[in-house]
Amino acid sequence: MADPLGLAEVRRALEEDRAREDVTTRLLGAAAGRAAAAAFVAEGHFVVAGLPIVGRVYAELDRDACLESVAPLLEEGAWVEPGAVLARVRASAATLLAGERVALNYLQRLSGIATLTRRAVEAVAGTPARITHTRKTTPGLRALERYAVTVGGGVANRGSLAEAVLWKDNHWALLGAGTLAATLAAAPAGVPVVVEVEDQSQLEQALAAGVRHILADNQTPERVAAWVRRAGPGVTVQASGGITPERARAYAQAGAALISIGALTHSAPAAPIRCDLALT
């Protein structure tokens, strides 16, 4: 994915927050220019993701002061305990205050996604199944949220409409008198083809068309197991539709090679993190 550290997203967020126009910090007068330190501290147990974003935020605000003063203390993807210091930043008090909320927003959001992903990955441990995301992402943040999934141990899935053919229910509804095989024959060369199936008839049509990646949507683990047997070796069966980390193992044991979970990006709770400032 392009620029997983999110430079463009960081710039938009700082502009949205009008970070260089902090009317509250200006009330401090000369004190706003004093040297200070910020510590980003965990307030719970979670997987950390987004530490490079903290550096990006402060480098955008004060490049000379911050390129050498942003110090992540942990590796991306580490489980952290309450009280752990995730990163320290040294800069002027004004700079630290200007970037505090943007840095926290990214760190909390991405860590929440990584944590939920890790729980799903751990749930399927010992099976060949892999956990992935969907396109149910926050507008404008898809690249970063996909990155957080990989930090949590998941794998990247289709990131846009252009990256793969994904034939879904509405495409089936619009197929009309045509056949799936004839329609898919016009797919661009080299573009992966995935076909979502909701019943046995659609499965048979997909297999007859030579499809090698089946998306079993909103099916029970028992149905997925039956479709894995029917598809046979060489066909990837992906399970999707309302799957939670708690239910993921049942689909892995059913033989799903890939399990996509929309909740990883649309329902992950923010990780509890605070930012403590002190003059130095």
Side-chain angles (χ1 to χ4, degrees), residues 72-246:
L73 302 181
L74 296 167
E75 295 290 332
E76 290 277 89
W79 275 108
V80 299
E81 301 289 340
V85 178
L86 310 179
R88 287 197 177 96
V89 184
R90 295 183 183 276
S92 70
T95 295
L96 296 177
L97 289 167
E100 175 187 3
R101 176 42 55 194
V102 170
L104 276 173
N105 283 349
Y106 280 123
L107 202 52
Q108 291 173 325
R109 174 69 179 151
L110 300 186
S111 295
I113 291 171
T115 302
L116 195 58
T117 303
R118 182 68 56 80
R119 288 177 178 146
V121 169
E122 291 176 348
V124 303
T127 76
R130 298 171 298 164
I131 300 297
T132 190
H133 56 83
T134 69
R135 283 171 42 250
K136 297 174 183 176
T137 54
T138 307
L141 295 183
R142 179 171 295 164
L144 286 174
E145 293 181 346
R146 293 176 77 210
Y147 165 75
V149 168
T150 64
V151 170
V155 298
N157 202 352
R158 185 177 74 143
S160 72
L161 293 172
E163 289 184 14
V165 172
L166 179 49
W167 189 266
K168 293 175 65 67
D169 54 350
N170 284 328
H171 300 100
W172 280 108
L174 297 170
L175 182 59
T179 67
L180 181 66
T183 301
L184 295 180
V191 174
V193 175
V194 183
V195 173
E196 176 185 285
V197 298
E198 296 182 331
D199 56 40
Q200 192 70 30
S201 173
Q202 290 182 350
L203 174 66
E204 297 300 337
Q205 291 181 68
L207 294 176
V211 174
R212 312 304 289 172
H213 190 151
I214 301 295
L215 176 60
D217 190 49
N218 291 306
Q219 304 299 320
T220 65
E222 293 75 19
R223 177 65 66 85
V224 169
W227 287 358
V228 168
R229 291 192 295 271
R230 172 65 186 90
V235 176
T236 296
V237 176
Q238 175 180 345
S240 185
I243 301 174
T244 62
E246 293 74 22

Side-chain angles (χ1 to χ4, degrees), residues 42-53:
E43 293 187 304
H45 184 66
F46 57 86
V47 174
V48 65
L51 291 171
I53 300 294

Side-chain angles (χ1 to χ4, degrees), residues 3 7 25 56 72 100 132 206 229 243 250 268 274:
D3 188 25
L7 177 57
T25 299
R56 275 283 172 91
E100 175 187 3
T132 190
R229 291 192 295 271
I243 301 174
R274 72 175 189 269

